[in-house]
Amino acid sequence: MSSKASEFDLVISGVGGQGTILASDIIGRSAVLEGKGVRAAETHGMAQRGGSVVNHVRIGCELGSMIPLKGADCLLALEPVEALRYIEFLADDGVIIMNTESVYPVTVTTGKAPYPSVDSIVEKLKETHRVIAFNATEMAAEAGSRQAMNVVLVGAVSNFLPVKTETLLERVKEMVPPKTIDTNVKAFETGRSMVE
Amino acid sequence: MSTREYMLGNVAIARGIVEGGGKVISGYPGTPSSEIVDTLSAMKERDFYVEWSVNEKVAMEVAAGAAMTGVRSVVTMKHVGLNVAADPLMTLAYMGVKGGMIIIVADDPACHSSQNEQDTRKYSEFSLMPCLDPSTPQEAKDMIPYAFELSEKFEIPVIFRPTTRISHGKSEIELGTITDHKAEAKFEKDTSRWVMVPANAVIRHPHLLGIQEGIMEELENSPWNELTINENSKIGVIASGLASVYAKEAMEELGLEASFLKIGAYPVPEGLIKKMYEQCETVLVIEELEPIVEDRCKVIAKDIESPVKILGKTGGYVPRVSELNIDKCTKAMGEAFGIEVDVPEIAEPELELPPRPPALCAGCSHRATYHAMLKVFGKRAVFPSDIGCYTLGVQNGTVDTTLCMGGSITVASGIYDAGEKQPICCSIGDSTFFHTGINGLLNAVYNKSNITITILDNRITAMTGHQPNPGMGLTSTGEPTKEIDMELLCRGLGAEFVETVDPYDVKATEEVFKRAKDFEGPAVVITRQACVIHARRAGVRRVPFKVDTEKCIGCRMCVNLGCPAIEFDKETKKAHINAMCTGCGLCSATCKFDAIVEVQK
Ligand code: SF4
Ligand code: SF4
């Protein structure tokens, strides 16, 4: 259920340093190359030092970059807790694609706050939404580098985006460091195969 | 080649500066404004001069000097930076400029990375400089060449005010052509203009007031203001800048029939507002932060004795704090016009989510400095601090105050002057020290504050995205330059105790702090170690550490350092070091049981 102002609304959440900006850039640039208007908003500065970050990407949109509450078609979470934290943006019939590999915040490592079990997070989300959850970090490691986790998830979300897979894959090749192209292409493809 | 490119708002603004023929660009980094100068500095081919200045006042004066010679200039900063530059700003309005000058001030509603959420449009009212307020990154780019022309036409600087969502928003940008406007720098003497002694100032003030009408007329007809009259409706919406796109989307969602006025330039378009009053009985004003348009709207209605009802922040329809969004606009419209609005119901997640605040990076030398500081000065000491990455040390208990850039040494002095009995140790970063810390140290020496001043010198301006500063020996464009000797500088300011130490050397750092604490008078400790992110990019690799689980007794000493690389394993009740470790060695030095050792290669 995208709002009237946009064709497809995507929320990408994660932890500063995980590569949310690259993920949204691959998607945003691809959509522009296919002639669609794109509006995106990202987190910079303070929150980037390991804090919680969220990006909005609106494809086929001419207005503002902020997605209304319950307006997103898809929530792409690079970290389990960060899926739950931004769930309010997802439409009732929206889909969640999430990485099951946790990154503990300092509040957890220092014992100030508990971290809910990943299973309980997935169960909770499944009560209300379609959830596609898998360990993207491990899959990226198998493809050649844990850093390519964000690209695995871009591959998975490519099944839903109103953008051609080839366009996305071309952008991946263009935007990752040249030495890592093979790894990232593999990462993209394994991610893509996670959704039937 | 396509003329449409997907880019960050700040990159689009930088492009606008190039299209408009900017010749001298200065700035001081501050989120969300920093990428404008970063983008220009990184350009391989440049026919303009670009610099990171040491603070916003300096940057403003550099750009003003350039514009006095007839070339086009730009100065960039964030909203709080304009307070630092407010002194030259107010007089520059009297003096005016020859070449077009744009003062870019990025506002940050919702304090995404700021200590307050002030509204720069107030400075526009205050200084009588016109202000442009973009609603999209595209408009932001397009406004820049226009701003140069407007500035030259009225010989006054133009304030340009993007907000976080413009600066850090992305969209496809239709590129424009690059102007061939190439004014040569030529300073023409004119003391009545460039020397603001009282006799000249009293003439320039009426001049400044005198040009206001012309500016208003010019802006009223500019493309940045757009009025759409809806003949079938008696209600109207006025929205400014970014709020106008939220308002438009909310109207679409609601299917609301109303007249709509988008405002993108100040002073506000009085003629268009009056036209709207002719059609409407009720008008809702939507704008972020202060009720600037709303207040003007009320004055105009009163002046022409219009019976129109004006709603907005007054009456509580539109919030005065934080940023707006579509949902807030929809709600405001619903309440103001008595329409039933479907507010989505958001259920609180039942699982308790751990907070994820930003934290010092794994291996950040500030953590090491703070660790030693706390050990030597004790928990009851007073720790005034400043603005930068090191502010994140608040989680370590060594940041008790942060008022503004450069405010740590001065606040420390004030606490000492008040008669505080606990030891006082303040902290400030290298870039911040160059920004306005120097004055604070000078003052502390002159007025005999018995405090310790720690300069956390990580050789870069880290928080805003790793910009160079005078301590690095590099300019904004990466050219080698004189590297300022921090020790010599502090001695030059009169400090007698000045010592530099590597904070990774935990023992040595504690020793220096002990001596500084005992020293009578202001003592300066410079803790120098490169920012880990920057060091890593430069190729520095240290051997990571691991926990010897045989020796670890689970005392949590290392865990409490708050390094993101150290976790506590609840099952085994032992510490564990993850892949984020950068090998700084702080935890190893902290462990009393020698349980943390280097990973053998
Ligand atoms: S050595 Fe210890 S304190 Fe330093 S980065 Fe590694 S885990 Fe963190
Ligand atoms: S960016 Fe640099 S200075 Fe800032 S927290 Fe990380 S290591 Fe420390």
Side-chain angles (χ1 to χ4, degrees), chain A residues 3-5 15 21 24-25 28-29 32 36-42 44-47 49-52 58 62-64 66 68-70 79 81-82 84-85 88 103-111 113-116 120-121 124, chain B residues 4 6 8 31 35 112-113 136 165 168-172 245-246 248-249 252-253 326-327 344-346 349-359 361 389 392 395 462-463 465-466 533 556 559-560 562-564 566-568 580:
Chain A
S3 64
K4 290 170 206 153
V15 178
I21 293 188
S24 77
D25 273 358
R29 241 208 249 182
V32 170
K36 295 179 194 285
V38 178
R39 297 288 181 270
E42 49 195 45
H44 287 236
M46 266 293 194
R49 303 287 181 267
S52 161
R58 311 188 76 189
E62 305 295 335
L63 293 168
M66 303 304 291
L69 292 174
K70 288 203 175 191
E79 204 279 344
V81 152
E82 300 311 312
L84 212 46
R85 202 185 302 281
E88 65 201 37
V103 178
Y104 292 149
V106 271
T107 49
V108 170
T109 55
T110 53
Y115 189 100
S120 68
I121 295 173
K124 186 84 220 132
Chain B
R4 276 157 68 90
Y6 184 60
L8 187 73
T31 313
E35 296 84 0
H112 292 283
S113 47
T136 62
R165 297 300 177 191
H168 288 167
K170 277 197 179 120
S171 86
E172 78 286 6
V245 290
Y246 298 144
K248 229 183 246 174
E249 184 162 347
E252 269 178 40
E253 290 285 318
I326 298 140
D327 299 295
E345 255 179 65
I346 305 295
E350 287 151 40
L351 288 177
E352 201 191 316
L353 298 185
R356 194 187 296 275
C361 299
C389 278
L392 300 174
Q395 285 150 20
M463 183 58 115
H466 300 92
I533 294 190
R556 285 173 169 265
V559 178
N560 290 336
C563 171
I566 313 179
E567 296 170 11
F568 192 72
M580 281 192 262

Side-chain angles (χ1 to χ4, degrees), chain B residues 362-363 545 563 565-566 577 581-587:
Chain B
F545 283 71
C563 171
I566 313 179
I577 292 180
C581 176
T582 62
C584 75
L586 175 62
C587 55

Side-chain angles (χ1 to χ4, degrees), chain A residues 6-183:
Chain A
S6 166
E7 185 184 343
F8 190 92
D9 283 340
L10 172 68
V11 170
I12 307 178
S13 65
V15 178
Q18 277 191 318
T20 50
I21 293 188
L22 181 66
S24 77
D25 273 358
I26 292 168
I27 296 165
R29 241 208 249 182
S30 301
V32 170
L33 282 170
E34 291 193 1
K36 295 179 194 285
V38 178
R39 297 288 181 270
E42 49 195 45
T43 315
H44 287 236
M46 266 293 194
Q48 274 191 313
R49 303 287 181 267
S52 161
V53 297
V54 62
N55 287 2
H56 290 205
V57 185
R58 311 188 76 189
I59 301 175
C61 173
E62 305 295 335
L63 293 168
S65 57
M66 303 304 291
I67 297 170
L69 292 174
K70 288 203 175 191
D73 300 276
C74 179
L75 169 62
L76 188 67
L78 278 61
E79 204 279 344
V81 152
E82 300 311 312
L84 212 46
R85 202 185 302 281
Y86 297 100
I87 192 69
E88 65 201 37
F89 286 108
L90 191 63
D92 291 333
D93 56 357
V95 53
I96 301 163
I97 299 176
M98 69 175 259
N99 183 8
T100 52
E101 173 97 3
S102 316
V103 178
Y104 292 149
V106 271
T107 49
V108 170
T109 55
T110 53
K112 286 190 195 111
Y115 189 100
S117 81
V118 176
D119 286 344
S120 68
I121 295 173
V122 175
E123 282 319 306
K124 186 84 220 132
L125 293 171
K126 276 191 173 155
E127 281 171 20
T128 48
H129 291 90
R130 176 173 174 206
V131 181
I132 300 161
F134 53 90
N135 193 317
T137 310
E138 265 170 29
M139 286 170 56
E142 272 162 40
S145 159
R146 292 170 73 88
Q147 256 70 54
M149 174 271 287
N150 53 355
V151 175
V152 171
L153 290 170
V154 172
V157 78
S158 70
N159 293 288
F160 299 92
L161 299 173
V163 180
K164 287 197 205 80
T165 313
E166 305 84 79
T167 317
L168 285 163
L169 206 48
E170 280 310 309
R171 297 294 77 64
V172 170
K173 290 184 194 160
E174 209 176 84
M175 293 167 73
V176 300
K179 273 193 268 171
T180 66
I181 290 180
D182 288 348
T183 299

Side-chain angles (χ1 to χ4, degrees), chain A residues 49, chain B residues 359-366 389-390 392 458 460 462-463 466 530-534:
Chain A
R49 303 287 181 267
Chain B
L360 292 172
C361 299
C364 175
S365 65
H366 298 334
C389 278
Y390 45 92
L392 300 174
N458 66 355
I460 204 143
M463 183 58 115
H466 300 92
C531 157
V532 283
I533 294 190
H534 198 65

Side-chain angles (χ1 to χ4, degrees), chain B residues 71-389:
Chain B
V71 305
R72 294 184 167 178
S73 72
V74 179
V75 57
T76 80
M77 64 195 73
K78 68 185 293 182
H79 59 305
V80 283
L82 188 54
N83 302 328
V84 179
D87 188 11
L89 179 89
M90 298 306 288
T91 307
L92 190 55
Y94 282 26
M95 260 190 186
V97 286
K98 279 280 181 204
M101 173 169 168
I102 310 176
I103 300 168
I104 301 182
V105 189
D107 279 0
D108 187 20
C111 295
H112 292 283
S113 47
S114 308
Q115 61 271 43
N116 72 32
E117 42 178 11
Q118 74 192 39
D119 191 329
T120 293
R121 296 176 305 161
K122 280 275 181 199
Y123 268 112
S124 156
E125 281 189 316
F126 191 17
S127 65
L128 296 170
M129 286 183 189
C131 173
L132 299 174
D133 188 10
S135 63
T136 62
Q138 176 76 54
E139 204 175 54
K141 181 197 75 66
D142 296 342
M143 276 176 167
I144 297 283
Y146 173 87
F148 279 128
E149 277 161 32
L150 179 70
S151 169
E152 274 166 16
K153 182 162 179 189
F154 294 96
E155 298 200 350
I156 187 166
V158 171
I159 295 177
F160 178 79
R161 177 243 193 190
T163 55
T164 300
R165 297 300 177 191
I166 301 290
S167 286
H168 288 167
K170 277 197 179 120
S171 86
E172 78 286 6
I173 299 288
E174 187 77 50
L175 304 184
T177 49
I178 294 172
T179 178
D180 45 22
H181 175 101
K182 289 275 183 297
E184 286 295 320
K186 187 170 188 323
F187 180 76
E188 279 169 29
K189 289 180 193 287
D190 178 357
T191 49
S192 68
R193 178 73 185 275
W194 307 127
V195 185
M196 271 311 118
V197 291
N200 293 335
V202 294
I203 296 168
R204 291 301 289 186
H205 194 186
H207 166 81
L208 176 61
L209 290 164
I211 60 174
Q212 294 302 312
E213 206 169 312
I215 293 173
M216 271 173 82
E217 232 168 75
E218 171 85 22
L219 288 176
E220 175 111 29
N221 303 312
S222 73
W224 320 119
N225 301 317
E226 270 170 57
L227 173 67
T228 325
I229 293 286
N230 187 326
E231 308 246 324
N232 304 320
S233 168
K234 291 264 169 257
I235 57 176
V237 173
I238 299 180
S240 72
L242 181 63
S244 68
V245 290
Y246 298 144
K248 229 183 246 174
E249 184 162 347
M251 283 170 71
E252 269 178 40
E253 290 285 318
L254 286 173
L256 183 69
E257 291 251 358
S259 294
F260 186 68
L261 172 60
K262 178 208 143 193
I263 295 179
Y266 310 83
V268 298
E270 299 201 351
L272 299 181
I273 292 171
K274 286 176 189 160
K275 248 186 230 153
M276 184 172 243
Y277 289 174
E278 283 165 21
Q279 173 69 26
C280 300
E281 284 165 5
T282 310
V283 168
L284 175 68
V285 183
I286 301 181
E287 62 196 311
E288 269 180 338
L289 300 180
E290 295 302 293
I292 287 166
V293 174
E294 186 178 328
D295 288 353
R296 281 308 304 162
C297 281
K298 285 186 189 152
V299 171
I300 295 164
K302 189 130 208 275
D303 280 353
I304 60 169
E305 290 173 14
S306 163
V308 68
K309 214 160 88 200
I310 293 154
L311 310 172
K313 313 241 180 217
T314 341
Y317 298 96
V318 180
R320 190 165 173 171
V321 294
S322 196
E323 56 181 353
L324 293 177
N325 55 35
I326 298 140
D327 299 295
K328 288 181 191 173
C329 290
T330 315
K331 199 165 150 263
M333 287 174 192
E335 281 168 11
F337 305 130
I339 318 164
E340 190 94 21
V341 174
D342 223 355
V343 187
E345 255 179 65
I346 305 295
E348 282 286 310
E350 287 151 40
L351 288 177
E352 201 191 316
L353 298 185
R356 194 187 296 275
L360 292 172
C361 299
C364 175
S365 65
H366 298 334
R367 180 178 291 106
T369 298
Y370 280 152
H371 176 70
M373 190 189 280
L374 195 61
K375 201 155 168 212
V376 172
F377 284 86
K379 280 204 176 95
R380 298 182 56 206
V382 187
F383 299 110
S385 192
D386 225 295
I387 313 259
C389 278

Side-chain angles (χ1 to χ4, degrees), chain B residues 571-592:
Chain B
E571 251 125 69
T572 60
K573 297 226 174 349
K574 301 201 186 259
H576 165 77
I577 292 180
N578 67 32
M580 281 192 262
C581 176
T582 62
C584 75
L586 175 62
C587 55
S588 172
T590 315
C591 179
K592 290 201 183 90

